[in-house]
Amino acid sequence: MSIREHSVNASGPGLLSNQIAPGTRRNAPPCGSRKAAELAASKGLRSPESLSNTRLSTSEVYKINFIFPNGDKYDGDCTRTSSGIFERNGIGIHTTPNGIIYTGSWKDDKMNGFGRLEHFSGAVYEGHFKDNMFHGLGTYIFPTGAKYTGNFNENRVEGEGQYTDTQGLEWCGNFHFTAAPGLKLKLLM
């Protein structure tokens, strides 16, 4: 697998907001994906490859710095599809002009694998993603400071989990989207 570094800027007709035109560029130094790798390392993952459960489908990975037409920015790994379009695959950081930051694993141009999504409101999700959704084990910290740690299924809390409220009380049980029947207060004695 070879790696090339590119710096690109969106241009060209007919591009979707998440596609990168081949042969485009901009004058800025390419930014690596060290922050995503460090995030992965801080969570006990040993290598950037361990962020994704599957190998990339092509043999050539490009390190790019890309600005989308809507002002979003992506710094990280991409591969080229058979039609010549670049897709986010590997580790990268995607930021929006209004302050949303995703740092983590990408597959097929979507958040897939382990990552961290920070919202401008102060909300933070750190855990597993599948097709741009919270899916698997993760922790969601609300802007108020309350926190849920447990299972997610397509952006919804689902299954065993623990909720810590704003007073620091911990609640354990089974969560099903907006319901948590049988929720129990965890006593710290």
Side-chain angles (χ1 to χ4, degrees):
M1 184 182 311
S2 65
I3 297 176
R4 292 186 184 175
E5 292 196 5
H6 291 277
S7 203
V8 295
N9 192 1
S11 66
L15 289 180
L16 298 176
S17 65
N18 64 347
Q19 294 177 327
I20 303 167
T24 57
R25 61 192 163 97
R26 90 175 174 82
N27 295 326
C31 178
S33 57
R34 280 185 231 113
K35 288 182 184 177
E38 288 169 8
L39 173 64
S42 73
K43 297 297 162 197
L45 299 174
R46 295 192 176 139
S47 69
E49 291 79 21
S50 64
L51 285 173
S52 179
N53 293 336
T54 59
R55 291 201 154 266
L56 301 176
S57 60
T58 62
S59 61
E60 199 160 22
V61 176
Y62 299 88
K63 297 274 187 193
I64 67 163
N65 177 316
F66 182 77
I67 300 174
F68 292 92
N70 67 357
D72 286 9
K73 296 177 184 175
Y74 177 75
D75 296 314
D77 299 338
C78 284
T79 57
R80 190 180 297 218
T81 66
S82 59
S83 61
I85 303 284
F86 283 95
E87 285 186 340
R88 293 167 287 189
N89 278 302
I91 300 169
I93 302 168
H94 186 105
T95 58
T96 68
N98 63 356
I100 298 172
I101 303 167
Y102 173 75
T103 305
S105 182
W106 294 85
K107 184 177 180 294
D108 298 329
D109 214 34
K110 294 181 181 177
M111 296 178 288
N112 276 298
F114 183 81
R116 177 182 173 95
L117 183 66
E118 301 172 52
H119 196 268
F120 61 85
S121 69
V124 175
Y125 172 80
E126 191 164 339
H128 290 90
F129 288 81
K130 181 181 176 191
D131 295 333
N132 290 334
M133 293 183 281
F134 309 155
H135 194 83
L137 293 176
T139 298
Y140 186 90
I141 301 172
F142 297 86
T144 62
K147 174 173 81 169
Y148 169 80
T149 300
N151 291 303
F152 288 82
N153 184 8
E154 297 181 352
N155 284 340
R156 296 178 177 195
V157 295
E158 186 67 42
E160 285 293 316
Q162 179 175 309
Y163 176 78
T164 305
D165 64 25
T166 56
Q167 284 77 40
L169 297 174
E170 295 178 358
W171 301 85
C172 299
N174 254 323
F175 292 80
H176 301 286
F177 190 40
T178 59
L183 197 61
K184 293 183 171 110
L185 178 61
K186 187 175 177 182
L187 298 175
L188 304 173
M189 293 185 190

